[in-house]
């Protein structure tokens, strides 16, 4: 998906202290991107009464984010329940990542995306 944005990234990059492996690292911007699966969350409240119960990060996930934030300029998390809704649609997936990165203070330009699409067509 980051290929679609035209952003250079590294998979499973170790932090400088060697304690954590970042799911995805954007070296030009010093951003760690963590793809959080179901084990990174729990449902707050009675799980039998409603599907609208908010998902809450586990203490272990919050600690990971805190420690990564001490190693990188920004930490962006991609919850599985949000990614599930966009993963099969390229434009939605690209827009979702653009929005996530924008909230972290990084803007992916339309030019970067256009350059990547032109490269993909070759």
């Amino acid at each position: 998906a980051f290929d679609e944005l035209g952003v250079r990234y590294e998979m499973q990059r170790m932090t400088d202290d060697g304690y954590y492996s970042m799911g995805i690292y954007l070296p030009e911007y010093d951003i760690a991107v963590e793809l959080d699966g179901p084990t990174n969350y729990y449902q707050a409240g009675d799980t039998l009464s409603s599907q609208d119960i908010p998902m809450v990060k586990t203490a272990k996930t919050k600690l990971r984010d805190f420690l990564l934030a001490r190693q990188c300029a920004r930490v962006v998390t991609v919850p599985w329940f949000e990614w599930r809704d966009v993963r099969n649609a390229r434009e939605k997936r690209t827009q979702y990542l653009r929005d996530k990165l924008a909230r972290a203070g990084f803007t992916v330009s339309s030019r970067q995306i256009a350059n990547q699409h032109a490269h993909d067509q070759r």
Side-chain angles (χ1 to χ4, degrees):
F2 284 94
D3 289 331
E4 297 164 6
L5 292 175
V7 176
R8 192 167 70 83
Y9 63 94
E10 299 173 20
M11 301 289 293
Q12 299 304 314
R13 162 96 182 263
M14 291 300 293
T15 56
D16 290 340
D17 64 8
Y19 289 118
Y20 289 96
S21 174
M22 297 173 275
I24 298 171
Y25 179 65
L26 309 180
E28 294 173 29
Y29 310 100
D30 196 27
I31 296 176
V33 180
E34 288 296 317
L35 310 172
D36 289 346
T39 59
N40 295 101
Y41 293 88
Y42 65 92
Q43 286 187 307
D46 180 7
T47 60
L48 300 176
S49 64
S50 172
Q51 291 184 350
D52 296 329
I53 297 171
M55 300 296 284
V56 178
K57 287 183 181 184
T58 63
K60 182 178 176 183
T61 302
K62 289 178 184 178
L63 178 61
R64 177 211 62 198
D65 292 350
F66 172 78
L67 294 172
L68 282 177
R70 296 177 60 86
Q71 296 283 320
C72 300
R74 299 274 189 270
V75 176
V76 174
T77 58
V78 177
W80 66 272
F81 50 90
E82 291 178 3
W83 187 249
R84 172 191 61 199
D85 297 337
V86 300
R87 71 175 178 236
N88 295 321
R90 181 179 181 153
E91 289 180 20
K92 286 183 180 180
R93 186 174 58 224
T94 302
Q95 188 60 51
Y96 173 85
L97 290 175
R98 285 178 80 178
D99 293 345
K100 278 284 193 181
L101 292 172
R103 284 190 289 260
F106 170 66
T107 303
V108 178
S109 71
S110 297
R111 183 175 180 208
Q112 283 176 287
I113 293 171
N115 287 343
Q116 184 60 38
H117 287 275
H119 178 65
D120 290 346
Q121 299 300 319
R122 292 183 210 156

